[in-house]
Amino acid sequence: MVTENKLFPEGFIWSVATSAFQIEGGAREDGKGLSIWDAFTHREGNIADGSDADVACDSYHKVEEDIKMLKQLGVQQYRFSFSWTRLLPNGTPSKVNPKGVEYYKKLIDGLLEAGIEPLVTLYHWDLPLALNDRGGWLTSEVAEWFADYARFSFRTFGDKVKKWVTLNEPWTQVSCGYNGDLWVHAPGKFAEFNDWIPYLAAHNMLRAHAKAYRVYDKEFRASQGGQVGLVNIGLWYEPLNPESESDRSAAARSIQMQLGWFLNPIFHPEGDYPEAMKQRMRENSEREGRETSRLPEFTEAELEELRGSSDFLGLNYYITYLVRERTEEEYQEKGMRRRLYDAGTVESVDPKWKHFGPEYSPFRSIPWGLRRLLKWIKDEYGNPTVMITENGVPQREAESDYDQIRMEVLSEHIDAVHQAITLDGCSVIGYTVWSLMDNYEWAGGYELLFGLYAVDFEDPERKRTPRASARWYKKVVKTNSVVPILEEECMNEEI
Ligand code: PNW
């Protein structure tokens, strides 16, 4: 429990987030091209509740309503994403969709008028289908395609947008989209137990990120003066038995093979994939009778392009695992997850941790994991500037507008961030709630709802209603501190 008011540093940024595919709808409207998620959600059996996101929150038609909620909350920043194919229907700048440009300009102008800074994610998993058909993240050219899209976006919107994220959570895209881990996501074309595809996709995502960053550096930074970063999800790994040397090394390796995989090439002075990961992947590959590692290698030029290619680190946090080394017998298990086979670990959770949503949901509350993760980032990469770009709590369905658990769990996480700043000296500049409103939760469809605002998906108007947590978060933002949860206030106060 958080009891006292704890003040955050002056200028701390309070934010909320969404992403294009999850809220916009207008899937086939006004010249928008299709993405891998448009195709994936319409293939049977892919989505828990059989739903699609053709309308979702209908945000494509609700710019005013969305801005109204943001104004009510009083947040300083709104993190949303561009739909690549709403702007460039076939993925390349050879054809621009003026209606798409108009939509985002209207949104950006509305935000700026309201004094809310836009943080734009260029890619939140909705790869143009046309580019996927040409190989998508598994081709080397994808880095150029992405850089062209980034250049188009910087040129078209960069006079007003000063904060950019290249990719959202490449780890999740790779683990779910190319490996069927946690959930199965688009594009979803992979062999049940494939060996090298996730590493190749990740490699190309990193190359694409670096190219886009360098485009900004060379062509736009001087005139536009903004910042470009990358968002990753960080899982915290705690040794199952902290006394055990082998559990501790399993945890250290797990962190490197999850977050380090994407951060080391960018934030570590030596660059490249983490040593522990390279070694592990070499050993695995040898054991499999391969002559080269399944983990691809960067060229010298690529290593150089990647090093330092992020002005801030966007961190999403949701869960922690307990971990230990996998025993020899356990290697023989069938159907083992690729990730765990490669890391050589066994993951578990503490049954005492609060769990949210249906059984398949991995969401649990472990606030101290966030503090340890932030400290690890500080120690590993020399205290980079971190923006928490997502943290949230799902509900099964719109249980009640008095979402006590969400407020409690968010408080505990915000408190953990406060401790990381004040006690551990971590450079955290802001915090973002996922999500502004209920939306389309990928393979979970509408079964997991994360919104500070409820959305009525039965209502053609997609009416938005503030939950208690919206009123509570508004006060957090206003006072720049963790405030107690007062039922009276959260239920009745005007918003
Ligand atoms: C994020 N995990 O994904 C995504 O960026 C959002 O689009 C999504 O709606 C939100 O979280 C909630 O799921 C996650 O490993 C990826 O626990 C991985 C995990 C959690 C969330």
Side-chain angles (χ1 to χ4, degrees), residues 220-342:
F220 300 96
R221 191 181 292 281
S223 58
Q224 297 186 350
Q227 296 183 351
V228 181
L230 175 69
V231 165
N232 275 287
I233 182 155
L235 275 59
W236 179 247
Y237 286 97
E238 189 69 17
L240 180 63
N241 171 8
E243 308 288 300
S244 146
E245 173 75 45
S246 107
D247 288 9
R248 285 205 303 271
S249 88
R253 195 170 63 245
S254 297
I255 298 164
Q256 291 294 2
M257 292 184 74
Q258 194 268 321
L259 192 58
W261 183 4
F262 296 93
L263 293 193
N264 212 81
I266 299 172
F267 289 95
H268 199 282
E270 281 172 27
D272 205 353
Y273 294 120
E275 211 37 63
M277 179 172 192
K278 287 199 284 189
Q279 191 190 329
R280 177 83 202 168
M281 292 302 293
R282 256 195 317 270
E283 288 164 6
N284 289 344
S285 306
E286 259 169 45
R287 201 175 327 135
E288 294 149 7
R290 291 183 152 89
E291 280 173 9
T292 53
S293 174
R294 287 189 271 116
L295 185 68
E297 275 178 35
F298 292 114
T299 64
E300 276 305 318
E302 287 168 344
L303 286 173
E304 201 44 49
E305 204 162 63
L306 273 158
R307 220 175 273 130
S309 65
S310 208
D311 302 321
F312 61 93
L313 194 170
L315 182 74
N316 296 353
Y317 174 77
Y318 292 92
I319 51 171
T320 284
Y321 282 116
L322 301 172
V323 64
R324 63 167 172 79
E325 296 283 354
R326 183 170 285 275
T327 63
E328 272 312 314
E329 295 96 80
E330 283 169 329
Y331 267 107
Q332 311 313 321
E333 275 172 23
K334 290 240 155 23
M336 191 196 314
R337 290 179 177 188
R338 169 91 261 151
R339 170 165 61 93
L340 300 181
Y341 168 87
D342 280 346

Side-chain angles (χ1 to χ4, degrees), residues 135-406:
W137 289 114
L138 301 179
T139 65
S140 164
E141 295 106 292
V142 70
E144 295 297 340
W145 301 335
F146 182 69
D148 289 345
Y149 161 52
R151 178 181 292 107
F152 164 81
S153 301
F154 298 148
R155 185 184 299 137
T156 313
F157 302 98
D159 55 335
K160 297 188 173 161
V161 175
K162 301 298 169 190
K163 283 193 185 153
W164 298 95
V165 163
T166 53
L167 308 177
N168 177 66
E169 295 186 354
W171 181 83
T172 314
Q173 254 268 276
V174 161
S175 305
C176 304
Y178 290 91
N179 207 13
D181 200 331
L182 275 182
W183 303 280
V184 178
H185 280 181
K189 255 189 274 163
F190 45 80
E192 188 83 350
F193 197 68
N194 75 66
D195 292 335
W196 48 270
I197 282 180
Y199 298 101
L200 179 60
H203 197 70
N204 286 327
M205 285 178 196
L206 280 162
R207 293 176 54 249
H209 157 80
K211 283 227 173 329
Y213 182 88
R214 298 302 166 196
V215 164
Y216 194 80
D217 244 5
K218 289 193 195 103
E219 302 170 35
F220 300 96
R221 191 181 292 281
S223 58
Q224 297 186 350
Q227 296 183 351
V228 181
L230 175 69
V231 165
N232 275 287
I233 182 155
L235 275 59
W236 179 247
Y237 286 97
E238 189 69 17
L240 180 63
N241 171 8
E243 308 288 300
S244 146
E245 173 75 45
S246 107
D247 288 9
R248 285 205 303 271
S249 88
R253 195 170 63 245
S254 297
I255 298 164
Q256 291 294 2
M257 292 184 74
Q258 194 268 321
L259 192 58
W261 183 4
F262 296 93
L263 293 193
N264 212 81
I266 299 172
F267 289 95
H268 199 282
E270 281 172 27
D272 205 353
Y273 294 120
E275 211 37 63
M277 179 172 192
K278 287 199 284 189
Q279 191 190 329
R280 177 83 202 168
M281 292 302 293
R282 256 195 317 270
E283 288 164 6
N284 289 344
S285 306
E286 259 169 45
R287 201 175 327 135
E288 294 149 7
R290 291 183 152 89
E291 280 173 9
T292 53
S293 174
R294 287 189 271 116
L295 185 68
E297 275 178 35
F298 292 114
T299 64
E300 276 305 318
E302 287 168 344
L303 286 173
E304 201 44 49
E305 204 162 63
L306 273 158
R307 220 175 273 130
S309 65
S310 208
D311 302 321
F312 61 93
L313 194 170
L315 182 74
N316 296 353
Y317 174 77
Y318 292 92
I319 51 171
T320 284
Y321 282 116
L322 301 172
V323 64
R324 63 167 172 79
E325 296 283 354
R326 183 170 285 275
T327 63
E328 272 312 314
E329 295 96 80
E330 283 169 329
Y331 267 107
Q332 311 313 321
E333 275 172 23
K334 290 240 155 23
M336 191 196 314
R337 290 179 177 188
R338 169 91 261 151
R339 170 165 61 93
L340 300 181
Y341 168 87
D342 280 346
T345 55
V346 175
E347 294 175 357
S348 59
V349 295
D350 185 330
K352 290 200 289 296
W353 297 341
K354 271 179 232 146
H355 176 255
F356 313 111
E359 217 187 313
Y360 67 80
S361 144
F363 294 100
R364 289 185 169 76
S365 174
I366 313 102
W368 53 263
L370 174 55
R371 179 173 170 193
R372 289 187 193 180
L373 184 60
L374 287 167
K375 176 71 164 54
W376 183 88
I377 288 169
K378 176 189 173 198
D379 294 343
E380 190 73 11
Y381 305 120
N383 209 7
T385 299
V386 176
M387 173 81 203
I388 311 266
T389 36
E390 280 182 34
N391 177 225
V393 184
Q395 292 182 300
R396 177 72 203 244
E397 61 257 333
E399 281 147 39
S400 139
D401 287 345
Y402 189 70
D403 48 349
Q404 170 89 24
I405 294 185
R406 175 172 292 116

